[in-house]
Amino acid sequence: MPLSFTFSEKSFSDLPGWDEDDHAAAFAAFRRSALHAPIKPYRTGSLGVDFNAFAEAYAEARAVSAPNRSQARSFFEQHFVPMLVKVENGLGLVTGFYEPEVEASPVRTERFTVPLLSRPADLIDIDDGNRPAGMDPYLAFARRTDDGPVEYFNRSEIERGALAGQNLEIAWLAEKVDAFFIHVQGAARLKMTDGRLIRVTYAAKSGQRFTGPGRILSDLGEIPLEKVTMQSIRAWFKAHPERIDEILWQNRSYIFFREAAVDDAALGPVAAAKVPLTPGRSVAVDRLLHTFGTPFYIDAPTLTAFDGKPFRRLMIAQDTGSAITGPARGDLFAGSGDAAGEIAGVVRNAADFYALVPRALLNGATR
């Protein structure tokens, strides 16, 4: 597969702030992908960055555990060539995501009434091989019935009891809005009332299209579009608790979870690339276009929420999301907990994306 014309070759001196970045932090995230690569190869994205071209860089990364900043910078400059990701309007877009941390109960109580559910037994994967005639081609999940697959229950049906009595509840939360944002983020740390700290991560979804409350509230004239953030949405729900279902049920998609351990409190959940996310160094990309494990240098000079400075960092592609579409579109992982949420909730900035493409690919040595 040839490399896409979407990429325009640059030099490292063309990357604003490259010399000042902490390349060792990016290397630590890259190495996690390198350690996973022999277990299961990543699928090559349609823009042509062949997974096989990473072999030499991955092998060296596995052999070197903790280089200093200078050594890490040399590693990336030795193995990769920066390529500007060209887009029609000249700039890409970054948003932010995080892992919420909320209090939860292992059992339903008077206070904790909102469940996080595990995957139901009748939820099946659906594709062109088993999709019934007339079923929406967007749907990747369906409900198994005696008469064949049908569209799965939507959010309002599930929250009104469509799955009641199946013992799917992993934990119970106090607030429906907290549960919804955990659905949006796809993972959470739960501080259980019995003293445990557990994690829930994405297992499956009902399959319908996602409709964000920010867009709905903007269309209704409740919040100006330019002021839509996670914080402003939460504030609106707090002021209008009687309208929560009205707004949230317009998003028909529902997320199911599985329980996971918190092995390293400094890292995020294991995401789509099957490695733990690194705060400030993992980015979600369009996995149909890009190849997981690809380093991206992202220049977003108007974004200062992470550390008060213009955001210019080397990130590693280790996750994806249904809203992350396009060659220069990224979702930056801010970390876990409320402080990370304050950062992630306000990120919506123009950015230049530079993909670091393996030199082996440009030299034709990918086999």
Side-chain angles (χ1 to χ4, degrees), residues 67-134:
N68 60 35
R69 292 174 67 159
S70 177
Q71 292 168 332
R73 174 183 168 181
S74 295
F75 169 85
F76 287 111
E77 292 179 350
Q78 174 188 346
H79 288 286
F80 298 95
V81 175
M83 297 273 191
L84 175 65
V85 181
K86 297 182 292 184
V87 289
E88 288 185 5
N89 63 1
L91 287 172
L93 174 69
V94 289
T95 49
F97 73 112
Y98 77 113
E99 182 184 39
E101 185 171 286
V102 299
E103 191 176 4
S105 171
V107 296
R108 182 180 177 126
T109 69
E110 184 177 346
R111 178 186 172 200
F112 295 97
T113 61
V114 182
L116 298 177
L117 302 182
S118 59
R119 179 172 180 156
D122 63 353
L123 180 68
I124 61 172
D125 295 351
I126 201 82
D127 56 31
D128 291 342
N130 63 347
R131 187 188 311 280

Side-chain angles (χ1 to χ4, degrees), residues 11 21 26 29 64 66 70 73 81 104 112 149-150 182 187 198 232 248 251 257-258 264 283 298 312 344:
S11 67
D21 192 22
V64 180
S70 177
R73 174 183 168 181
V81 175
F112 295 97
V150 299
I182 290 173
I198 69 170
S232 67
L248 295 188
N251 173 45
F257 298 92
R258 60 179 178 83
D264 186 340
V283 60
I298 297 177
R312 294 183 168 112

Side-chain angles (χ1 to χ4, degrees), residues 15 18 21-23 25-30 33 54 76 80 94-97 277-285 291-300 303 306 311-319 330-335 347 352-356:
L15 277 51
W18 173 257
D21 192 22
D22 183 359
H23 303 90
F27 179 88
F30 180 81
S33 284
F54 288 88
F76 287 111
F80 298 95
V94 289
T95 49
F97 73 112
L277 297 176
T278 303
R281 292 294 168 176
S282 294
V283 60
V285 298
T291 305
F292 283 154
T294 300
F296 282 88
Y297 190 73
I298 297 177
D299 176 25
L303 171 56
F306 275 79
F311 189 93
R312 294 183 168 112
R313 291 192 188 185
L314 185 58
M315 309 288 287
I316 312 300
Q318 294 176 322
D319 200 5
D331 209 16
L332 310 174
F333 180 63
V347 178
D352 282 326
F353 283 67
Y354 298 86
L356 268 59

Side-chain angles (χ1 to χ4, degrees), residues 139-344:
L139 297 175
F141 295 92
R143 181 162 61 94
R144 182 178 57 245
T145 74
D146 292 340
D147 296 324
V150 299
E151 181 178 332
Y152 208 77
F153 300 119
N154 62 37
R155 175 174 294 275
S156 67
E157 292 168 331
I158 292 171
E159 292 190 352
R160 287 181 292 174
L163 300 178
Q166 297 187 32
N167 297 317
L168 301 176
E169 297 85 2
I170 298 173
W172 300 82
L173 309 185
E175 301 290 341
K176 181 173 285 189
V177 173
D178 283 342
F180 179 81
F181 278 104
I182 290 173
H183 282 223
V184 172
Q185 304 300 326
R189 294 185 189 184
L190 304 181
K191 296 180 290 185
M192 306 299 288
T193 54
D194 60 11
R196 293 177 297 142
L197 178 66
I198 69 170
R199 169 176 279 143
V200 290
T201 62
Y202 170 91
K205 58 184 177 180
S206 59
Q208 296 90 353
R209 290 169 177 79
F210 174 83
T211 304
R215 173 63 68 178
I216 295 168
L217 292 171
S218 174
D219 290 345
L220 291 172
E222 297 290 340
I223 304 177
L225 183 59
E226 67 274 11
K227 294 186 178 180
V228 169
T229 64
M230 183 180 69
Q231 289 86 339
S232 67
I233 295 170
R234 279 186 174 274
W236 190 92
F237 282 134
K238 186 174 182 179
H240 303 86
E242 76 285 355
R243 297 185 65 185
I244 290 175
D245 286 342
E246 170 199 338
I247 302 302
L248 295 188
W249 285 355
Q250 292 186 55
N251 173 45
R252 302 177 71 246
S253 177
Y254 190 92
I255 305 300
F256 301 101
F257 298 92
R258 60 179 178 83
E259 185 176 335
V262 182
D263 295 321
D264 186 340
L267 297 176
V270 173
K274 306 304 180 185
V275 298
L277 297 176
T278 303
R281 292 294 168 176
S282 294
V283 60
V285 298
D286 187 335
R287 72 178 306 176
L288 297 179
L289 301 178
H290 296 298
T291 305
F292 283 154
T294 300
F296 282 88
Y297 190 73
I298 297 177
D299 176 25
T302 64
L303 171 56
T304 59
F306 275 79
D307 57 8
K309 303 175 183 177
F311 189 93
R312 294 183 168 112
R313 291 192 188 185
L314 185 58
M315 309 288 287
I316 312 300
Q318 294 176 322
D319 200 5
T320 192
S322 58
I324 312 304
T325 58
R329 177 72 175 90
D331 209 16
L332 310 174
F333 180 63
S336 305
D338 291 343
E342 289 299 311
I343 295 171

